Amino acid sequence: MSTLPPDSDPVCRAQAWVGDAVLALYVRRWILSFNGGVIDGDLFIEFTSNNFLRLTGNATGVEACIGRVYESEGTEAAFAWIEKNLRPKMDARLHILRRKNKH
């Protein structure tokens, strides 16, 4: 394991590159599944933003973790990691966002 911070570690950054793509696919499918098939770009940006990912840890590190799970165990395992580690935070955030949009 590298002693470099995730943002400076080329291996971590490569894993994050893949993890970012897996996260994007997950979020797009998730939005379409509960939003009546309607695309919501703002919600996509919110869920995949570095600010949101920082709620869990270093954003590059979080994406790298997703990438590592995907590479070693496949798509469904990576999606399960997102469900366990990110979805609860987004569900809470979604509640706040919806309240703001009603005002």
Side-chain angles (χ1 to χ4, degrees):
M1 207 69 188
S2 173
T3 58
L4 294 171
D7 296 334
S8 300
D9 181 345
V11 172
C12 189
R13 288 179 54 83
Q15 294 166 337
W17 180 263
V18 172
D20 178 67
V22 173
L23 177 61
L25 177 60
Y26 172 87
V27 171
R28 287 178 173 152
R29 289 177 63 189
W30 172 71
I31 288 170
L32 292 173
S33 73
F34 82 84
N35 209 25
V38 175
I39 296 169
D40 185 336
D42 290 337
L43 183 55
F44 175 82
I45 290 168
E46 179 72 27
F47 200 145
T48 59
S49 73
N50 285 347
N51 284 337
F52 174 71
L53 295 177
R54 283 186 198 109
L55 297 173
T56 303
N58 175 283
T60 301
V62 171
E63 289 173 335
C65 187
I66 295 167
R68 283 191 300 275
V69 172
Y70 169 78
E71 292 290 344
S72 66
E73 300 175 47
T75 306
E76 292 308 313
F79 284 1
W81 190 96
I82 294 166
E83 286 275 331
K84 178 182 178 192
N85 295 284
L86 299 179
R87 256 300 286 292
K89 292 174 176 82
M90 179 45 65
D91 289 342
R93 181 83 182 121
L94 186 58
H95 179 72
I96 293 166
L97 292 171
R98 286 188 171 158
R99 249 191 4 234
K100 277 183 171 178
N101 289 337
K102 288 185 178 184
H103 297 309

